[in-house]
Amino acid sequence: MLLYLHGFRSVGLCYKGKQIITFAPDALTPNLSYVPTLAIALAESLIAEYSKAHKICLIGSSLGGYYATFLAQKYHLKAVLVNPVIDAYKTLLPAIGRVNVPYQKTSFFWSLNLVESLKQYFVDSITPELYCVLLQKGDQVLDYRIAAHKFKDSKLIIQEGGSHHFDNFMSQKDTILKWAEEN
């Protein structure tokens, strides 16, 4: 069972969420709240509900990768991270203010309190064997080298070019499914 955690300013059935559904129709692609504590609470409730009958593998993109790192460590779950944010409480500090969500044509107010709340989900020391990390050097939002360093002992796939969006995401379908199946 794949549980997709989308990034900041996104929704569950965004570009990657829709593609995940094409190769894993039973995948969970929830719309996470912009409030970090609510986003984590929803993900934890889904893990609790579905882990009784299924082996869960997280897929986290950008901010969702930050959340997936926290949840993978807490619940000892496998995770695929796609251009993940490593230090969200620093990375998202400049975003304070009104934030547009293009997928829903809505917006929300991103406050200093919300940024500060991200600190509680920071994972300093990881269990490398839990993670498969997909990075593209052309990511214009995040420096891929920061994630490459943090996850240096994990399975790392680093591609030339690309973008934060992760170009040619479908080319990673087999990697994702294989990672989810491995113990």
Side-chain angles (χ1 to χ4, degrees):
M1 171 73 62
L2 300 177
L3 172 53
Y4 175 64
L5 305 175
H6 62 77
F8 191 66
R9 297 183 347 111
S10 193
V11 295
L13 287 176
C14 61
Y15 163 75
K16 284 182 279 304
K18 287 178 182 175
Q19 291 194 336
I20 290 166
I21 290 295
T22 66
F23 64 81
D26 61 346
L28 303 172
T29 60
N31 287 340
L32 301 175
S33 174
Y34 69 90
V35 178
T37 54
L38 296 178
I40 292 291
L42 175 58
E44 287 184 319
S45 72
L46 292 170
I47 290 167
E49 180 181 345
Y50 287 91
S51 64
K52 294 171 189 161
H54 303 279
K55 183 171 66 171
I56 304 270
C57 179
L58 303 168
I59 303 176
S61 178
S62 193
L63 178 59
Y66 182 78
Y67 293 154
T69 302
F70 170 78
L71 294 165
Q73 285 299 135
K74 182 174 180 178
Y75 296 101
H76 201 76
L77 298 171
K78 298 285 287 265
V80 176
L81 308 179
V82 184
N83 289 334
V85 172
I86 301 304
D87 50 5
Y89 54 91
K90 293 178 187 174
T91 303
L92 290 172
L93 189 58
I96 288 176
R98 177 79 31 211
V99 175
N100 292 318
V101 182
Y103 285 99
Q104 295 182 321
K105 296 186 173 106
T106 61
S107 65
F108 60 88
F109 189 78
W110 185 243
S111 69
L112 181 57
N113 286 343
L114 294 173
V115 173
E116 291 289 320
S117 73
L118 289 167
K119 289 181 180 178
Q120 66 189 305
Y121 306 117
F122 178 74
V123 175
D124 188 44
S125 179
I126 62 155
T127 307
E129 60 271 12
L130 294 177
Y131 303 97
C132 173
V133 184
L134 309 176
L135 302 171
Q136 290 188 328
K137 290 182 178 182
D139 186 334
Q140 70 281 20
V141 176
L142 302 171
D143 182 344
Y144 80 94
R145 295 172 294 188
I146 297 169
H149 177 72
K150 181 165 187 126
F151 294 97
K152 65 185 179 297
D153 296 323
S154 298
K155 179 180 175 108
L156 270 176
I157 297 172
I158 303 174
Q159 297 180 343
E160 294 294 329
S163 69
H164 187 64
H165 187 64
F166 202 93
D167 298 353
N168 301 312
F169 178 73
M170 280 299 280
S171 69
Q172 298 303 313
K173 171 183 82 164
D174 293 338
T175 300
I176 292 167
L177 292 173
K178 184 177 179 193
W179 189 256
E181 290 299 315
E182 292 178 357
N183 289 328

